[in-house]
Amino acid sequence: MPLRVPPAPAPALRSVLTALSSPTAVREARTPALLRAPGPVAPELPLPVHVLDRVTADGATATRLAGWRFLIRSGERAVAAADTMLTPDGWAFSHFFEGPYVTSTERALRQAESVPQPYQPRLLSVPELYMLTLWLHGDCAADAATGHPAATDLLIPLAPAPPGIAAHRPHLVAELLPVLTHRVTPKGLLITPARPASRIHPRGLAPSGHAEPPEVTVPLS
């Protein structure tokens, strides 16, 4: 069943197109695959990036929209990705990056295409575990910038996944969230104060004070 890919905000897409058309921006991104890409490159498959901030004892969740991510395609495959972020002046380009999450996202999207039920694809980040999942939301008509994971939604962990969690194995939200909850704290509660962050790394929004994996984060300077 084809996925119902939500439209990204027009200013977010424009900011990525502007960055791609700037030789300086692409060169300073320091992503070898993007620099070596043969022929034209184009942003595709916009995905809203939501961050899991809180899981309560009764299974309720609190998420927030952190940005929009675009896969940058050259020919038959994605060679990089571009993140955008919301600023006081609106949506703006954040950075390009490449690495395992780009190919893993493509693979998870192909998996989702084979599921009989239609879904709206999103990304859900769990910063405390440095974990990113493809979130398949059952309400295809929902505003992609809002909402919380429903018990019957699917989560597909992307690779590399945390130890003990199999990448690319689909889970119902009702099954996976309790596992993540107990991973984060002994009491089984994940509580992270909502705070602004300077940028998004490949696994989602980087909480202040948490080191980002240097091998996969390539911010613009």
Side-chain angles (χ1 to χ4, degrees):
M1 180 71 67
L3 295 173
R4 306 292 196 267
V5 179
L13 175 59
R14 285 197 299 269
S15 72
V16 173
L17 290 171
T18 299
L20 284 173
S21 66
S22 167
T24 300
V26 172
R27 183 173 62 252
E28 290 184 353
R30 300 187 296 277
T31 59
L34 187 58
L35 289 170
R36 296 194 304 264
V41 293
E44 294 184 356
L45 291 171
L47 296 171
V49 182
H50 292 258
V51 174
L52 181 64
D53 271 337
R54 180 184 173 97
V55 180
T56 63
D58 60 1
T61 60
T63 62
R64 57 189 166 87
L65 180 69
W68 282 81
R69 178 167 299 174
F70 298 79
L71 294 182
I72 308 301
R73 186 169 297 278
S74 173
E76 297 297 320
R77 66 186 185 93
V79 296
D83 275 344
T84 62
M85 60 185 178
L86 190 59
T87 72
D89 297 321
W91 287 101
F93 172 73
S94 174
H95 64 283
F96 294 114
F97 69 89
E98 62 179 89
Y101 288 101
V102 176
T103 54
S104 186
T105 299
E106 273 200 307
R107 177 181 169 184
L109 288 168
R110 288 195 299 269
Q111 282 183 265
E113 289 281 358
S114 65
V115 177
Q117 177 182 340
Y119 286 101
Q120 181 190 86
R122 307 175 175 194
L123 293 172
L124 182 64
S125 169
V126 186
E128 284 73 13
L129 298 179
Y130 286 108
M131 179 180 180
L132 184 65
T133 71
L134 179 65
W135 169 15
L136 300 179
H137 191 46
D139 184 358
C140 296
D143 181 352
T146 62
H148 307 296
T152 55
D153 287 353
L154 293 179
L155 296 177
I156 303 178
L158 301 186
I165 296 177
H168 294 286
R169 178 182 174 185
H171 300 267
L172 288 172
V173 165
E175 296 172 348
L176 186 58
L177 277 188
V179 175
L180 301 183
T181 300
H182 289 284
R183 284 291 187 91
V184 174
T185 67
K187 294 182 179 180
L189 294 180
L190 183 158
I191 301 177
T192 302
R195 64 172 73 90
S198 59
R199 57 194 169 98
I200 302 168
H201 65 59
R203 293 183 179 177
L205 203 63
S208 176
H210 284 231
E212 299 179 16
E215 72 279 8
V216 292
T217 300
V218 190
L220 282 174
S221 53

